Amino acid sequence: MVRELKTLGFWQAVLAEFLGTTMLVFLGISAAIGNGNSSYPDQEVKVALAFGLAFATLVQSLGHISGAHLNPAVTLAVLVSCQISVCRALWYVSAQMLGAVLGSAIVLGVRPEAVESLDLNKLTGVSPGQAFGMELLLTLQLVLCFLATTDKRRSDVAGSAPFGIGLSVTLAHLAGISYTGCGINPARSFGPALVSMDFENHWVFWAGPVTGGIMATVLYDFLLSPRGLDLTGRLKTLVKGLAQGSNSGNLSPDCCWSSTSSFLLF
């Protein structure tokens, strides 16, 4: 774990998560509040496309550096899958949270004077329990898509994995905006909440996505497409991360994106 912290690539990956989440939150929220005259369902489609295209673009740009999680729920899911170390997961989540706060603060500084809201995730006509279920299911499909499309064991994936993940984000927003504003990302929910100091029902946007992400990992990694039961190898990964060239499930060091990257030499 200490050796991991001493590598340049580790900090490049953390920086990529910070910058990526900053841009994701900035672009998504800007699209959501930038036109006060937009009406539903036009506004829903606009916001869904903004988040989906932003995620696809950023995953394409940063995937080879950090894995482009840009979402604590994804990072925790990958951790449960034993594809990254606990240390890396903690730093990723911290970077994502800080990036979301910075992105929200930027939007706060440039928003039109007539706009008061920062597009906080809010419950619309549903109870907290129903919202939890919605966030859980929406995040489950997103993380399932992320794990499946970035699985290096597969040889049948055609087209662009980042585009597929972006479509998954778009789909989640199209289905969930009318209910919860579609969080599916604790960092994206936390940034505007902190800047606006409004944490009403905020637990929903942590509990739902985190539970959904972990459930997706259990379903994919242990039931649908098991990676094996090498407990020693899994524990080693959690402590030290995956070394370059590791044959543990044919995973690459940076969480299934590139087998040539060298920033995880432990």
Side-chain angles (χ1 to χ4, degrees), residues 13 16-17 20-21 24 55 58-59 62-63 66-79 83-84 88-89 92-93 96 142 146 165 185 254-257:
E17 288 296 310
T21 310
L24 174 66
F55 208 97
L58 292 166
V59 169
L62 304 173
S66 68
H69 299 174
L70 312 182
N71 183 340
V74 173
T75 297
L76 292 176
V78 174
L79 176 66
Q83 298 185 49
I84 59 174
R88 180 174 289 263
Y92 272 23
V93 171
Q96 292 158 1
L142 168 61
F146 186 96
I165 297 171
N185 185 334
D254 50 346
C255 311
C256 310
W257 286 99

PDB file of all heavy atoms in Angstrom, residues 13 16-17 20-21 24 55 58-59 62-63 66-79 83-84 88-89 92-93 96 142 146 165 185 254-257:
ATOM      1  N   ALA A  13      -3.647   9.086 -11.487  1.00  0.00           N
ATOM      2  CA  ALA A  13      -4.983   8.493 -11.507  1.00  0.00           C
ATOM      3  C   ALA A  13      -5.928   9.239 -10.569  1.00  0.00           C
ATOM      4  O   ALA A  13      -7.087   9.497 -10.905  1.00  0.00           O
ATOM      5  CB  ALA A  13      -4.900   7.014 -11.107  1.00  0.00           C
ATOM      6  N   ALA A  16      -6.868  12.418 -12.159  1.00  0.00           N
ATOM      7  CA  ALA A  16      -7.825  12.177 -13.241  1.00  0.00           C
ATOM      8  C   ALA A  16      -9.240  12.031 -12.690  1.00  0.00           C
ATOM      9  O   ALA A  16     -10.203  12.551 -13.273  1.00  0.00           O
ATOM     10  CB  ALA A  16      -7.434  10.927 -14.023  1.00  0.00           C
ATOM     11  N   GLU A  17      -9.386  11.336 -11.564  1.00  0.00           N
ATOM     12  CA  GLU A  17     -10.706  11.202 -10.946  1.00  0.00           C
ATOM     13  C   GLU A  17     -11.228  12.553 -10.469  1.00  0.00           C
ATOM     14  O   GLU A  17     -12.417  12.853 -10.595  1.00  0.00           O
ATOM     15  CB  GLU A  17     -10.637  10.212  -9.777  1.00  0.00           C
ATOM     16  CG  GLU A  17     -10.467   8.769 -10.191  1.00  0.00           C
ATOM     17  CD  GLU A  17     -11.654   8.242 -10.971  1.00  0.00           C
ATOM     18  OE1 GLU A  17     -12.793   8.418 -10.511  1.00  0.00           O
ATOM     19  OE2 GLU A  17     -11.429   7.653 -12.050  1.00  0.00           O
ATOM     20  N   GLY A  20     -12.000  14.659 -13.684  1.00  0.00           N
ATOM     21  CA  GLY A  20     -13.125  14.070 -14.391  1.00  0.00           C
ATOM     22  C   GLY A  20     -14.446  14.318 -13.694  1.00  0.00           C
ATOM     23  O   GLY A  20     -15.446  14.676 -14.335  1.00  0.00           O
ATOM     24  N   THR A  21     -14.464  14.155 -12.375  1.00  0.00           N
ATOM     25  CA  THR A  21     -15.709  14.384 -11.639  1.00  0.00           C
ATOM     26  C   THR A  21     -16.073  15.860 -11.622  1.00  0.00           C
ATOM     27  O   THR A  21     -17.258  16.222 -11.681  1.00  0.00           O
ATOM     28  CB  THR A  21     -15.586  13.859 -10.196  1.00  0.00           C
ATOM     29  OG1 THR A  21     -15.089  12.518 -10.222  1.00  0.00           O
ATOM     30  CG2 THR A  21     -16.934  13.872  -9.490  1.00  0.00           C
ATOM     31  N   LEU A  24     -17.645  16.451 -14.977  1.00  0.00           N
ATOM     32  CA  LEU A  24     -18.938  15.780 -15.085  1.00  0.00           C
ATOM     33  C   LEU A  24     -20.028  16.567 -14.362  1.00  0.00           C
ATOM     34  O   LEU A  24     -21.112  16.807 -14.917  1.00  0.00           O
ATOM     35  CB  LEU A  24     -18.840  14.375 -14.475  1.00  0.00           C
ATOM     36  CG  LEU A  24     -20.152  13.584 -14.377  1.00  0.00           C
ATOM     37  CD1 LEU A  24     -20.688  13.261 -15.766  1.00  0.00           C
ATOM     38  CD2 LEU A  24     -19.947  12.305 -13.572  1.00  0.00           C
ATOM     39  N   PHE A  55     -20.331  11.744 -19.487  1.00  0.00           N
ATOM     40  CA  PHE A  55     -19.704  10.554 -18.916  1.00  0.00           C
ATOM     41  C   PHE A  55     -18.957   9.770 -19.986  1.00  0.00           C
ATOM     42  O   PHE A  55     -17.819   9.329 -19.774  1.00  0.00           O
ATOM     43  CB  PHE A  55     -20.774   9.671 -18.262  1.00  0.00           C
ATOM     44  CG  PHE A  55     -20.247   8.848 -17.130  1.00  0.00           C
ATOM     45  CD1 PHE A  55     -20.386   9.272 -15.825  1.00  0.00           C
ATOM     46  CD2 PHE A  55     -19.594   7.641 -17.362  1.00  0.00           C
ATOM     47  CE1 PHE A  55     -19.896   8.526 -14.764  1.00  0.00           C
ATOM     48  CE2 PHE A  55     -19.096   6.884 -16.324  1.00  0.00           C
ATOM     49  CZ  PHE A  55     -19.248   7.330 -15.021  1.00  0.00           C
ATOM     50  N   LEU A  58     -15.725  11.649 -20.948  1.00  0.00           N
ATOM     51  CA  LEU A  58     -14.706  11.614 -19.902  1.00  0.00           C
ATOM     52  C   LEU A  58     -14.136  10.217 -19.714  1.00  0.00           C
ATOM     53  O   LEU A  58     -12.939  10.059 -19.447  1.00  0.00           O
ATOM     54  CB  LEU A  58     -15.296  12.142 -18.593  1.00  0.00           C
ATOM     55  CG  LEU A  58     -15.636  13.636 -18.617  1.00  0.00           C
ATOM     56  CD1 LEU A  58     -16.510  14.016 -17.427  1.00  0.00           C
ATOM     57  CD2 LEU A  58     -14.358  14.473 -18.620  1.00  0.00           C
ATOM     58  N   VAL A  59     -14.968   9.192 -19.858  1.00  0.00           N
ATOM     59  CA  VAL A  59     -14.464   7.823 -19.770  1.00  0.00           C
ATOM     60  C   VAL A  59     -13.507   7.547 -20.924  1.00  0.00           C
ATOM     61  O   VAL A  59     -12.459   6.923 -20.751  1.00  0.00           O
ATOM     62  CB  VAL A  59     -15.625   6.813 -19.780  1.00  0.00           C
ATOM     63  CG1 VAL A  59     -15.106   5.391 -19.954  1.00  0.00           C
ATOM     64  CG2 VAL A  59     -16.412   6.914 -18.476  1.00  0.00           C
ATOM     65  N   LEU A  62     -10.229   9.562 -19.966  1.00  0.00           N
ATOM     66  CA  LEU A  62      -9.490   9.270 -18.741  1.00  0.00           C
ATOM     67  C   LEU A  62      -9.460   7.798 -18.365  1.00  0.00           C
ATOM     68  O   LEU A  62      -8.798   7.431 -17.395  1.00  0.00           O
ATOM     69  CB  LEU A  62     -10.097  10.067 -17.571  1.00  0.00           C
ATOM     70  CG  LEU A  62     -10.172  11.576 -17.751  1.00  0.00           C
ATOM     71  CD1 LEU A  62     -10.940  12.208 -16.588  1.00  0.00           C
ATOM     72  CD2 LEU A  62      -8.774  12.177 -17.854  1.00  0.00           C
ATOM     73  N   GLY A  63     -10.157   6.970 -19.121  1.00  0.00           N
ATOM     74  CA  GLY A  63     -10.248   5.563 -18.759  1.00  0.00           C
ATOM     75  C   GLY A  63      -8.906   4.871 -18.653  1.00  0.00           C
ATOM     76  O   GLY A  63      -8.703   4.020 -17.787  1.00  0.00           O
ATOM     77  N   SER A  66      -7.105   6.238 -15.020  1.00  0.00           N
ATOM     78  CA  SER A  66      -7.612   5.871 -13.697  1.00  0.00           C
ATOM     79  C   SER A  66      -8.695   4.796 -13.723  1.00  0.00           C
ATOM     80  O   SER A  66      -9.081   4.291 -12.672  1.00  0.00           O
ATOM     81  CB  SER A  66      -8.182   7.111 -12.997  1.00  0.00           C
ATOM     82  OG  SER A  66      -9.352   7.562 -13.661  1.00  0.00           O
ATOM     83  N   GLY A  67      -9.183   4.466 -14.905  1.00  0.00           N
ATOM     84  CA  GLY A  67     -10.360   3.610 -14.996  1.00  0.00           C
ATOM     85  C   GLY A  67     -11.624   4.428 -15.147  1.00  0.00           C
ATOM     86  O   GLY A  67     -12.663   3.907 -15.473  1.00  0.00           O
ATOM     87  N   ALA A  68     -11.501   5.752 -14.898  1.00  0.00           N
ATOM     88  CA  ALA A  68     -12.615   6.697 -15.067  1.00  0.00           C
ATOM     89  C   ALA A  68     -13.870   6.238 -14.352  1.00  0.00           C
ATOM     90  O   ALA A  68     -14.916   6.057 -14.962  1.00  0.00           O
ATOM     91  CB  ALA A  68     -12.888   6.952 -16.556  1.00  0.00           C
ATOM     92  N   HIS A  69     -13.766   6.064 -13.045  1.00  0.00           N
ATOM     93  CA  HIS A  69     -14.948   5.706 -12.261  1.00  0.00           C
ATOM     94  C   HIS A  69     -15.890   6.902 -12.137  1.00  0.00           C
ATOM     95  O   HIS A  69     -17.075   6.791 -12.392  1.00  0.00           O
ATOM     96  CB  HIS A  69     -14.543   5.234 -10.865  1.00  0.00           C
ATOM     97  CG  HIS A  69     -13.670   4.032 -10.866  1.00  0.00           C
ATOM     98  ND1 HIS A  69     -13.102   3.518  -9.731  1.00  0.00           N
ATOM     99  CD2 HIS A  69     -13.249   3.223 -11.877  1.00  0.00           C
ATOM    100  CE1 HIS A  69     -12.390   2.452 -10.024  1.00  0.00           C
ATOM    101  NE2 HIS A  69     -12.452   2.260 -11.329  1.00  0.00           N
ATOM    102  N   LEU A  70     -15.356   8.037 -11.688  1.00  0.00           N
ATOM    103  CA  LEU A  70     -16.096   9.303 -11.581  1.00  0.00           C
ATOM    104  C   LEU A  70     -17.358   9.173 -10.731  1.00  0.00           C
ATOM    105  O   LEU A  70     -18.273   9.987 -10.855  1.00  0.00           O
ATOM    106  CB  LEU A  70     -16.487   9.815 -12.987  1.00  0.00           C
ATOM    107  CG  LEU A  70     -15.381   9.815 -14.040  1.00  0.00           C
ATOM    108  CD1 LEU A  70     -15.904  10.387 -15.350  1.00  0.00           C
ATOM    109  CD2 LEU A  70     -14.150  10.549 -13.581  1.00  0.00           C
ATOM    110  N   ASN A  71     -17.386   8.163  -9.878  1.00  0.00           N
ATOM    111  CA  ASN A  71     -18.589   7.864  -9.113  1.00  0.00           C
ATOM    112  C   ASN A  71     -18.206   6.954  -7.947  1.00  0.00           C
ATOM    113  O   ASN A  71     -17.701   5.846  -8.177  1.00  0.00           O
ATOM    114  CB  ASN A  71     -19.601   7.168 -10.034  1.00  0.00           C
ATOM    115  CG  ASN A  71     -20.927   6.880  -9.362  1.00  0.00           C
ATOM    116  OD1 ASN A  71     -21.044   6.844  -8.144  1.00  0.00           O
ATOM    117  ND2 ASN A  71     -21.953   6.662 -10.169  1.00  0.00           N
ATOM    118  N   PRO A  72     -18.413   7.389  -6.705  1.00  0.00           N
ATOM    119  CA  PRO A  72     -18.072   6.533  -5.566  1.00  0.00           C
ATOM    120  C   PRO A  72     -18.753   5.172  -5.604  1.00  0.00           C
ATOM    121  O   PRO A  72     -18.188   4.179  -5.137  1.00  0.00           O
ATOM    122  CB  PRO A  72     -18.558   7.358  -4.364  1.00  0.00           C
ATOM    123  CG  PRO A  72     -18.466   8.774  -4.822  1.00  0.00           C
ATOM    124  CD  PRO A  72     -18.868   8.727  -6.274  1.00  0.00           C
ATOM    125  N   ALA A  73     -19.961   5.108  -6.143  1.00  0.00           N
ATOM    126  CA  ALA A  73     -20.657   3.822  -6.228  1.00  0.00           C
ATOM    127  C   ALA A  73     -19.914   2.856  -7.148  1.00  0.00           C
ATOM    128  O   ALA A  73     -19.832   1.654  -6.878  1.00  0.00           O
ATOM    129  CB  ALA A  73     -22.090   4.029  -6.724  1.00  0.00           C
ATOM    130  N   VAL A  74     -19.366   3.372  -8.243  1.00  0.00           N
ATOM    131  CA  VAL A  74     -18.581   2.543  -9.155  1.00  0.00           C
ATOM    132  C   VAL A  74     -17.283   2.114  -8.488  1.00  0.00           C
ATOM    133  O   VAL A  74     -16.876   0.951  -8.569  1.00  0.00           O
ATOM    134  CB  VAL A  74     -18.298   3.297 -10.465  1.00  0.00           C
ATOM    135  CG1 VAL A  74     -17.329   2.499 -11.341  1.00  0.00           C
ATOM    136  CG2 VAL A  74     -19.589   3.567 -11.228  1.00  0.00           C
ATOM    137  N   THR A  75     -16.617   3.050  -7.823  1.00  0.00           N
ATOM    138  CA  THR A  75     -15.362   2.725  -7.147  1.00  0.00           C
ATOM    139  C   THR A  75     -15.559   1.658  -6.084  1.00  0.00           C
ATOM    140  O   THR A  75     -14.774   0.703  -5.993  1.00  0.00           O
ATOM    141  CB  THR A  75     -14.764   3.991  -6.502  1.00  0.00           C
ATOM    142  OG1 THR A  75     -14.447   4.942  -7.535  1.00  0.00           O
ATOM    143  CG2 THR A  75     -13.496   3.664  -5.737  1.00  0.00           C
ATOM    144  N   LEU A  76     -16.603   1.777  -5.276  1.00  0.00           N
ATOM    145  CA  LEU A  76     -16.866   0.774  -4.249  1.00  0.00           C
ATOM    146  C   LEU A  76     -17.220  -0.571  -4.869  1.00  0.00           C
ATOM    147  O   LEU A  76     -16.856  -1.626  -4.337  1.00  0.00           O
ATOM    148  CB  LEU A  76     -17.985   1.252  -3.330  1.00  0.00           C
ATOM    149  CG  LEU A  76     -17.634   2.456  -2.444  1.00  0.00           C
ATOM    150  CD1 LEU A  76     -18.854   2.908  -1.636  1.00  0.00           C
ATOM    151  CD2 LEU A  76     -16.484   2.122  -1.499  1.00  0.00           C
ATOM    152  N   ALA A  77     -17.922  -0.539  -5.996  1.00  0.00           N
ATOM    153  CA  ALA A  77     -18.256  -1.782  -6.688  1.00  0.00           C
ATOM    154  C   ALA A  77     -16.995  -2.472  -7.195  1.00  0.00           C
ATOM    155  O   ALA A  77     -16.839  -3.692  -7.064  1.00  0.00           O
ATOM    156  CB  ALA A  77     -19.209  -1.501  -7.846  1.00  0.00           C
ATOM    157  N   VAL A  78     -16.087  -1.700  -7.778  1.00  0.00           N
ATOM    158  CA  VAL A  78     -14.824  -2.256  -8.269  1.00  0.00           C
ATOM    159  C   VAL A  78     -13.975  -2.762  -7.104  1.00  0.00           C
ATOM    160  O   VAL A  78     -13.252  -3.752  -7.220  1.00  0.00           O
ATOM    161  CB  VAL A  78     -14.070  -1.198  -9.091  1.00  0.00           C
ATOM    162  CG1 VAL A  78     -12.680  -1.702  -9.485  1.00  0.00           C
ATOM    163  CG2 VAL A  78     -14.854  -0.831 -10.343  1.00  0.00           C
ATOM    164  N   LEU A  79     -14.058  -2.085  -5.956  1.00  0.00           N
ATOM    165  CA  LEU A  79     -13.350  -2.544  -4.764  1.00  0.00           C
ATOM    166  C   LEU A  79     -13.900  -3.890  -4.304  1.00  0.00           C
ATOM    167  O   LEU A  79     -13.130  -4.811  -3.986  1.00  0.00           O
ATOM    168  CB  LEU A  79     -13.483  -1.508  -3.642  1.00  0.00           C
ATOM    169  CG  LEU A  79     -12.876  -1.897  -2.291  1.00  0.00           C
ATOM    170  CD1 LEU A  79     -11.359  -2.019  -2.394  1.00  0.00           C
ATOM    171  CD2 LEU A  79     -13.251  -0.872  -1.217  1.00  0.00           C
ATOM    172  N   GLN A  83     -10.691  -5.451  -7.686  1.00  0.00           N
ATOM    173  CA  GLN A  83      -9.907  -5.015  -8.826  1.00  0.00           C
ATOM    174  C   GLN A  83      -8.991  -3.844  -8.471  1.00  0.00           C
ATOM    175  O   GLN A  83      -8.117  -3.485  -9.269  1.00  0.00           O
ATOM    176  CB  GLN A  83     -10.832  -4.612  -9.975  1.00  0.00           C
ATOM    177  CG  GLN A  83     -11.694  -5.744 -10.486  1.00  0.00           C
ATOM    178  CD  GLN A  83     -12.498  -5.335 -11.705  1.00  0.00           C
ATOM    179  OE1 GLN A  83     -11.966  -4.767 -12.653  1.00  0.00           O
ATOM    180  NE2 GLN A  83     -13.781  -5.618 -11.684  1.00  0.00           N
ATOM    181  N   ILE A  84      -9.192  -3.240  -7.315  1.00  0.00           N
ATOM    182  CA  ILE A  84      -8.328  -2.162  -6.849  1.00  0.00           C
ATOM    183  C   ILE A  84      -8.089  -2.348  -5.356  1.00  0.00           C
ATOM    184  O   ILE A  84      -8.781  -3.104  -4.689  1.00  0.00           O
ATOM    185  CB  ILE A  84      -8.934  -0.767  -7.103  1.00  0.00           C
ATOM    186  CG1 ILE A  84     -10.289  -0.629  -6.393  1.00  0.00           C
ATOM    187  CG2 ILE A  84      -9.059  -0.470  -8.586  1.00  0.00           C
ATOM    188  CD1 ILE A  84     -10.883   0.761  -6.481  1.00  0.00           C
ATOM    189  N   ARG A  88      -6.399   2.791  -2.863  1.00  0.00           N
ATOM    190  CA  ARG A  88      -6.780   3.484  -4.102  1.00  0.00           C
ATOM    191  C   ARG A  88      -8.251   3.879  -4.060  1.00  0.00           C
ATOM    192  O   ARG A  88      -8.632   4.980  -4.480  1.00  0.00           O
ATOM    193  CB  ARG A  88      -6.505   2.594  -5.312  1.00  0.00           C
ATOM    194  CG  ARG A  88      -6.866   3.224  -6.656  1.00  0.00           C
ATOM    195  CD  ARG A  88      -6.430   2.333  -7.796  1.00  0.00           C
ATOM    196  NE  ARG A  88      -4.984   2.325  -7.917  1.00  0.00           N
ATOM    197  CZ  ARG A  88      -4.304   3.094  -8.772  1.00  0.00           C
ATOM    198  NH1 ARG A  88      -4.938   3.944  -9.562  1.00  0.00           N
ATOM    199  NH2 ARG A  88      -2.991   3.015  -8.831  1.00  0.00           N
ATOM    200  N   ALA A  89      -9.105   3.012  -3.542  1.00  0.00           N
ATOM    201  CA  ALA A  89     -10.539   3.312  -3.472  1.00  0.00           C
ATOM    202  C   ALA A  89     -10.795   4.531  -2.588  1.00  0.00           C
ATOM    203  O   ALA A  89     -11.595   5.410  -2.940  1.00  0.00           O
ATOM    204  CB  ALA A  89     -11.300   2.103  -2.934  1.00  0.00           C
ATOM    205  N   TYR A  92      -9.659   7.610  -4.463  1.00  0.00           N
ATOM    206  CA  TYR A  92     -10.569   7.889  -5.572  1.00  0.00           C
ATOM    207  C   TYR A  92     -11.837   8.566  -5.072  1.00  0.00           C
ATOM    208  O   TYR A  92     -12.283   9.584  -5.631  1.00  0.00           O
ATOM    209  CB  TYR A  92     -10.941   6.589  -6.291  1.00  0.00           C
ATOM    210  CG  TYR A  92     -10.011   6.178  -7.399  1.00  0.00           C
ATOM    211  CD1 TYR A  92      -8.693   6.627  -7.436  1.00  0.00           C
ATOM    212  CD2 TYR A  92     -10.425   5.311  -8.402  1.00  0.00           C
ATOM    213  CE1 TYR A  92      -7.842   6.234  -8.453  1.00  0.00           C
ATOM    214  CE2 TYR A  92      -9.583   4.919  -9.418  1.00  0.00           C
ATOM    215  CZ  TYR A  92      -8.292   5.367  -9.445  1.00  0.00           C
ATOM    216  OH  TYR A  92      -7.450   4.981 -10.454  1.00  0.00           O
ATOM    217  N   VAL A  93     -12.441   8.006  -4.025  1.00  0.00           N
ATOM    218  CA  VAL A  93     -13.690   8.573  -3.511  1.00  0.00           C
ATOM    219  C   VAL A  93     -13.458   9.988  -2.993  1.00  0.00           C
ATOM    220  O   VAL A  93     -14.272  10.892  -3.231  1.00  0.00           O
ATOM    221  CB  VAL A  93     -14.281   7.677  -2.402  1.00  0.00           C
ATOM    222  CG1 VAL A  93     -15.457   8.372  -1.718  1.00  0.00           C
ATOM    223  CG2 VAL A  93     -14.722   6.335  -2.979  1.00  0.00           C
ATOM    224  N   GLN A  96     -13.169  12.264  -5.972  1.00  0.00           N
ATOM    225  CA  GLN A  96     -14.481  12.449  -6.597  1.00  0.00           C
ATOM    226  C   GLN A  96     -15.344  13.426  -5.809  1.00  0.00           C
ATOM    227  O   GLN A  96     -16.030  14.286  -6.390  1.00  0.00           O
ATOM    228  CB  GLN A  96     -15.185  11.093  -6.714  1.00  0.00           C
ATOM    229  CG  GLN A  96     -14.523  10.140  -7.694  1.00  0.00           C
ATOM    230  CD  GLN A  96     -14.863   8.687  -7.427  1.00  0.00           C
ATOM    231  OE1 GLN A  96     -15.621   8.368  -6.503  1.00  0.00           O
ATOM    232  NE2 GLN A  96     -14.296   7.785  -8.203  1.00  0.00           N
ATOM    233  N   LEU A 142     -26.364   0.611 -14.121  1.00  0.00           N
ATOM    234  CA  LEU A 142     -25.175   1.354 -14.550  1.00  0.00           C
ATOM    235  C   LEU A 142     -23.903   0.592 -14.219  1.00  0.00           C
ATOM    236  O   LEU A 142     -23.024   0.417 -15.074  1.00  0.00           O
ATOM    237  CB  LEU A 142     -25.148   2.732 -13.883  1.00  0.00           C
ATOM    238  CG  LEU A 142     -23.822   3.515 -13.997  1.00  0.00           C
ATOM    239  CD1 LEU A 142     -23.480   3.784 -15.450  1.00  0.00           C
ATOM    240  CD2 LEU A 142     -23.891   4.801 -13.197  1.00  0.00           C
ATOM    241  N   PHE A 146     -21.032  -1.087 -16.542  1.00  0.00           N
ATOM    242  CA  PHE A 146     -19.619  -0.720 -16.406  1.00  0.00           C
ATOM    243  C   PHE A 146     -18.749  -1.968 -16.274  1.00  0.00           C
ATOM    244  O   PHE A 146     -17.728  -2.109 -16.962  1.00  0.00           O
ATOM    245  CB  PHE A 146     -19.431   0.188 -15.181  1.00  0.00           C
ATOM    246  CG  PHE A 146     -18.046   0.738 -15.024  1.00  0.00           C
ATOM    247  CD1 PHE A 146     -17.737   2.000 -15.502  1.00  0.00           C
ATOM    248  CD2 PHE A 146     -17.051   0.002 -14.402  1.00  0.00           C
ATOM    249  CE1 PHE A 146     -16.456   2.515 -15.370  1.00  0.00           C
ATOM    250  CE2 PHE A 146     -15.770   0.506 -14.259  1.00  0.00           C
ATOM    251  CZ  PHE A 146     -15.471   1.770 -14.741  1.00  0.00           C
ATOM    252  N   ILE A 165     -21.334   2.863 -21.792  1.00  0.00           N
ATOM    253  CA  ILE A 165     -21.517   3.339 -20.414  1.00  0.00           C
ATOM    254  C   ILE A 165     -22.274   4.660 -20.422  1.00  0.00           C
ATOM    255  O   ILE A 165     -23.142   4.898 -19.577  1.00  0.00           O
ATOM    256  CB  ILE A 165     -20.155   3.488 -19.726  1.00  0.00           C
ATOM    257  CG1 ILE A 165     -19.471   2.118 -19.618  1.00  0.00           C
ATOM    258  CG2 ILE A 165     -20.313   4.108 -18.343  1.00  0.00           C
ATOM    259  CD1 ILE A 165     -18.036   2.177 -19.157  1.00  0.00           C
ATOM    260  N   ASN A 185     -25.061   8.672  -8.275  1.00  0.00           N
ATOM    261  CA  ASN A 185     -23.673   9.063  -8.062  1.00  0.00           C
ATOM    262  C   ASN A 185     -23.607   9.900  -6.788  1.00  0.00           C
ATOM    263  O   ASN A 185     -23.967  11.082  -6.803  1.00  0.00           O
ATOM    264  CB  ASN A 185     -23.171   9.864  -9.267  1.00  0.00           C
ATOM    265  CG  ASN A 185     -21.690  10.211  -9.171  1.00  0.00           C
ATOM    266  OD1 ASN A 185     -21.121  10.300  -8.089  1.00  0.00           O
ATOM    267  ND2 ASN A 185     -21.079  10.437 -10.311  1.00  0.00           N
ATOM    268  N   ASP A 254      -5.355  -1.045 -14.349  1.00  0.00           N
ATOM    269  CA  ASP A 254      -6.203   0.121 -14.183  1.00  0.00           C
ATOM    270  C   ASP A 254      -7.669  -0.226 -14.394  1.00  0.00           C
ATOM    271  O   ASP A 254      -8.427   0.532 -14.997  1.00  0.00           O
ATOM    272  CB  ASP A 254      -5.792   1.225 -15.161  1.00  0.00           C
ATOM    273  CG  ASP A 254      -5.672   0.702 -16.575  1.00  0.00           C
ATOM    274  OD1 ASP A 254      -5.645  -0.517 -16.748  1.00  0.00           O
ATOM    275  OD2 ASP A 254      -5.604   1.515 -17.486  1.00  0.00           O
ATOM    276  N   CYS A 255      -8.047  -1.375 -13.873  1.00  0.00           N
ATOM    277  CA  CYS A 255      -9.460  -1.758 -13.841  1.00  0.00           C
ATOM    278  C   CYS A 255     -10.046  -1.973 -15.225  1.00  0.00           C
ATOM    279  O   CYS A 255     -11.031  -1.366 -15.612  1.00  0.00           O
ATOM    280  CB  CYS A 255     -10.284  -0.734 -13.082  1.00  0.00           C
ATOM    281  SG  CYS A 255      -9.592  -0.289 -11.503  1.00  0.00           S
ATOM    282  N   CYS A 256      -9.394  -2.801 -15.996  1.00  0.00           N
ATOM    283  CA  CYS A 256      -9.969  -3.333 -17.239  1.00  0.00           C
ATOM    284  C   CYS A 256      -9.851  -2.426 -18.455  1.00  0.00           C
ATOM    285  O   CYS A 256     -10.467  -2.706 -19.467  1.00  0.00           O
ATOM    286  CB  CYS A 256     -11.442  -3.677 -17.046  1.00  0.00           C
ATOM    287  SG  CYS A 256     -11.771  -4.676 -15.612  1.00  0.00           S
ATOM    288  N   TRP A 257      -9.068  -1.378 -18.401  1.00  0.00           N
ATOM    289  CA  TRP A 257      -9.023  -0.488 -19.560  1.00  0.00           C
ATOM    290  C   TRP A 257      -7.811  -0.720 -20.446  1.00  0.00           C
ATOM    291  O   TRP A 257      -7.902  -0.693 -21.650  1.00  0.00           O
ATOM    292  CB  TRP A 257      -9.051   0.968 -19.117  1.00  0.00           C
ATOM    293  CG  TRP A 257     -10.395   1.361 -18.645  1.00  0.00           C
ATOM    294  CD1 TRP A 257     -10.821   1.438 -17.348  1.00  0.00           C
ATOM    295  CD2 TRP A 257     -11.535   1.675 -19.432  1.00  0.00           C
ATOM    296  NE1 TRP A 257     -12.137   1.786 -17.289  1.00  0.00           N
ATOM    297  CE2 TRP A 257     -12.599   1.953 -18.550  1.00  0.00           C
ATOM    298  CE3 TRP A 257     -11.765   1.769 -20.796  1.00  0.00           C
ATOM    299  CZ2 TRP A 257     -13.861   2.314 -18.997  1.00  0.00           C
ATOM    300  CZ3 TRP A 257     -13.024   2.130 -21.232  1.00  0.00           C
ATOM    301  CH2 TRP A 257     -14.042   2.394 -20.334  1.00  0.00           C
TER     302      TRP A 257
END
